[in-house]
Amino acid sequence: MGVPLYQAKAEFFKTLGHPARIRILELLCERDHAVHELLDQIAVEPSSLSQQLAVLRRTSMVVSRREGGEVLYSVSAPEVRDLLLAARRILTELIHVYDESATPAPAST
Amino acid sequence: MGVPLYQAKAEFFKTLGHPARIRILELLCERDHAVHELLDQIAVEPSSLSQQLAVLRRTSMVVSRREGGEVLYSVSAPEVRDLLLAARRILTELIHVYDESATPAPAST
DNA sequence: CCACGAGTTGCATACATCTTCAACTCGTGG
DNA sequence: CCACGAGTTGAAGATGTATGCAACTCGTGG
């Protein structure tokens, strides 16, 4: 274990720190998608999408396979789905905290 | 809801995408810490630590209070603990996937 | 009132990431 | 064999993020 765990965690979260990559993962959680299908859903250039897919491939969060004239992507493990669900849940909770601290306390006390 | 959810998620993960910030959160999950205590544990310059604390404050993940001659930090909500635990669990799972895919398939085909 | 320790803030530099264009690879079909 | 559509890769410019130094704020104690 050369890399300290907290650094691995940071790298991992960094991978998730991009809107397009989040969208890709969410779409792939529903079902496998061909690249051109993702392209229809996510407004980015083909090359840019490909770059983000490469990032996700490098971290083993997704895998690709060629099928006919197209390349299909899918999430590499069910844990990825779990992760996104957990994130959604926790983010919702934190948004509450966020609101509270941003709100000048309406009429509390 | 001006900001799309997937972008909020990305921002959120980006906040976690830094080793020092991960360490800070982990330490604060154990108990509240004064800045100089964090400084002892996390090898960074005082100013750098302060910057990271500012990032975490901005996203409402931690809060600070002055007490005597020092400033104490704590996690803003228990969900933060949940999040780090979830992350650890899921990261462990993914590391397995990682290992498998990194292994050149011993004697396949 | 002054000196200090504890933290913070403001930059300037260095570094990493994102975006886009163009060139290139690979199968498929004519 | 050539033309094409689907994806990928490489490189350059634009942005964003991190780091370290110096200057500054704030309470505390002498």
Side-chain angles (χ1 to χ4, degrees), chain B residues 16-57:
Chain B
L16 296 171
H18 190 290
R21 292 197 289 265
I22 292 285
R23 291 228 62 199
I24 292 169
L25 288 176
E26 291 187 334
L27 289 169
L28 294 186
C29 278
E30 294 171 13
R31 63 171 175 80
D32 295 3
H33 282 70
V35 175
H36 63 88
E37 289 178 319
L38 295 173
L39 216 39
D40 292 342
Q41 304 292 319
I42 310 176
V44 296
E45 297 276 310
S47 66
S48 190
L49 177 59
S50 211
Q51 306 269 21
Q52 309 308 342
L53 286 171
V55 172
L56 293 174
R57 254 185 288 129

Side-chain angles (χ1 to χ4, degrees), chain A residues 29-50:
Chain A
C29 278
E30 294 170 14
R31 62 172 177 80
D32 295 3
H33 283 71
V35 175
H36 63 88
E37 290 178 320
L38 295 173
L39 215 38
D40 292 341
Q41 304 291 319
I42 309 176
V44 295
E45 298 275 310
S47 64
S48 190
L49 177 60
S50 210

Side-chain angles (χ1 to χ4, degrees), chain A residues 12-83:
Chain A
F12 172 69
F13 284 126
K14 225 184 286 184
T15 302
L16 296 171
H18 190 290
R21 292 196 289 265
I22 292 285
R23 291 226 61 197
I24 292 169
L25 287 175
E26 291 187 334
L27 289 169
L28 293 186
C29 278
E30 294 170 14
R31 62 172 177 80
D32 295 3
H33 283 71
V35 175
H36 63 88
E37 290 178 320
L38 295 173
L39 215 38
D40 292 341
Q41 304 291 319
I42 309 176
V44 295
E45 298 275 310
S47 64
S48 190
L49 177 60
S50 210
Q51 305 267 22
Q52 308 309 341
L53 286 171
V55 172
L56 293 173
R57 253 185 289 130
R58 252 177 259 130
T59 57
S60 297
M61 298 189 78
V62 308
V63 295
S64 65
R65 64 181 188 281
R66 177 149 224 139
E67 204 159 286
E70 53 192 23
V71 178
L72 296 179
Y73 277 83
S74 41
V75 297
S76 62
E79 284 77 31
V80 175
R81 290 187 180 78
D82 296 346
L83 169 66

Side-chain angles (χ1 to χ4, degrees), chain B residues 50-70:
Chain B
S50 211
Q51 306 269 21
Q52 309 308 342
L53 286 171
V55 172
L56 293 174
R57 254 185 288 129
R58 253 177 259 132
T59 58
S60 298
M61 298 190 77
V62 307
V63 295
S64 65
R65 65 181 187 281
R66 177 150 225 136
E67 204 159 287
E70 54 192 20

